[in-house]
Amino acid sequence: MAGTDAAEATGGSDLAGLEAGLDALETPRARRRPLRETLLRSVLPPAVAVALVLAVWQLLVSAHVTDSYRLPAPSAVWHEVTEAWLRGTLFGYIWTSVSRGLSGFLLALLVGTPLGLLVARVRLVRAAVGPVLSGLQSLPSVAWVPPAVLWLGLNDSMMYAVILLGAVPSIANGLVSGVDQIPPLHLRAGRTLGATGLRGLRHVVLPAALPGYVAGLKQGWAFSWRSLMAAEIIASSPELGVGLGQLLENGRNTSSMPTVFFAILLILLVGIAVDLLVFSPLERHVLRSRGLLVKS
């Protein structure tokens, strides 16, 4: 008996050692990336890309491929930037649009999340609402601007309505996609452990659906930003203030291509900044927490 117990103990320790070894293999090793490596891998590539674009742009201007009023020089656009900075209106343009975009996106988040859960978990609702959400997602957001103006008038409510109609379908469909990709075994295990109803949604469904949900949020922000720009370009009014879309429209009305390029540059910078500062880190965190992205 003593020999049998000793053998079982040895086998148990070997099995525990094997499991520990497998866990160590699956666990990514965290390594602090040196500053020089971070600069080379994260900062240098986009900086080189921007420098190449500016060089090609200046080359086209110097070659006189078209008239200067159609393709302004980078220096002319930079002059618009400095003028807006000196007048104190640069951050005003950005904040007017960013505040509307973020507020509208948060409203879309509050509406799209429960709607996505309802469509994903209730078969009858999916059959009735699912095709409508897909159709709304494919509808250009600019199409909602005329009816929104007629319904609500030229005000911020109209802007938020256009953002909601553009972003909610993407957020809801992203969550539906994430829920559909949950293995049924996880849901059954959750129900066995007592995670049913709202508790199951909070502790099982939403955490398991995070990758698809985050992808839907990222796409929802893109639709929010594009919807807002379309609304600001079409529905311009002094009461609404001057956002980036209004600035772009002002450049068109005055035939000022430097102003047009200036507005386009700011729209691009805001979109890139939100992606780099918010959604890309969130996406990496979710993927890394599931072992799908290893720290390098």
Side-chain angles (χ1 to χ4, degrees):
M1 292 293 293
T4 303
D5 293 341
E8 291 179 353
T10 303
S13 62
D14 291 342
L15 181 59
L18 178 60
E19 291 176 349
L22 291 175
D23 291 340
L25 287 175
E26 293 179 354
T27 303
R29 295 181 178 179
R31 180 175 65 89
R32 187 176 182 85
R33 184 182 296 175
L35 178 60
R36 180 180 178 183
E37 184 180 350
T38 301
L39 292 175
L40 289 176
R41 297 182 60 176
S42 302
V43 179
L44 185 60
V48 171
V50 171
L52 287 176
V53 170
L54 291 176
V56 173
W57 183 0
Q58 183 60 51
L59 182 63
L60 292 175
V61 172
S62 301
H64 302 287
V65 295
T66 187
D67 297 326
S68 60
Y69 69 88
R70 292 180 178 177
L71 182 64
S75 58
V77 179
W78 180 250
H79 178 72
E80 289 289 328
V81 175
T82 56
E83 284 292 319
W85 171 267
L86 294 175
R87 291 194 306 267
T89 57
L90 178 60
F91 290 108
Y93 297 147
I94 297 174
W95 177 244
T96 299
S97 293
V98 169
S99 60
R100 283 178 185 153
L102 291 178
S103 300
F105 177 74
L106 291 177
L107 290 174
L109 182 64
L110 294 176
V111 175
T113 300
L115 179 60
L117 286 174
L118 194 62
V119 172
R121 303 298 291 168
V122 181
R123 189 171 302 176
L124 182 61
V125 176
R126 171 173 291 204
V129 181
V132 177
L133 286 177
S134 299
L136 289 175
Q137 190 173 3
S138 64
L139 182 68
S141 55
V142 68
W144 290 113
V145 178
V149 171
L150 294 175
W151 291 335
L152 302 172
L154 290 173
N155 50 46
D156 285 334
S157 298
M158 177 272 299
M159 300 283 185
Y160 296 142
V162 173
I163 293 174
L164 282 173
L165 291 168
V168 166
S170 296
I171 295 174
N173 281 333
L175 184 52
V176 170
S177 177
V179 172
D180 288 344
Q181 295 173 15
I182 301 175
L185 181 61
H186 291 184
L187 300 177
R188 289 197 295 268
R191 287 193 294 266
T192 302
L193 294 173
T196 58
L198 293 177
R199 183 180 297 178
L201 289 176
R202 177 185 175 185
H203 295 287
V204 178
V205 176
L206 280 176
L210 267 182
Y213 185 41
V214 171
L217 293 180
K218 188 174 182 178
Q219 189 178 45
W221 164 253
F223 274 85
S224 297
W225 191 237
R226 291 192 297 183
S227 302
L228 176 61
M229 291 302 101
E232 288 186 350
I233 291 172
I234 297 176
S236 58
S237 171
E239 290 77 12
L240 293 173
V242 181
L244 299 181
Q246 177 66 62
L247 180 64
L248 182 62
E249 180 64 9
N250 290 345
R252 186 192 70 84
N253 290 333
T254 58
S255 299
S256 174
M257 284 304 293
T259 303
V260 170
F261 273 75
F262 171 43
I264 292 174
L265 176 64
L266 291 181
I267 293 170
L268 284 174
L269 287 178
V270 171
I272 293 171
V274 172
D275 180 71
L276 291 179
L277 298 177
V278 179
F279 291 106
S280 290
L282 179 61
E283 193 173 32
R284 287 196 301 269
H285 173 72
V286 170
L287 294 177
R288 188 178 294 118
S289 65
R290 283 156 173 72
L292 301 175
L293 184 67
V294 180
K295 289 182 179 180
S296 57

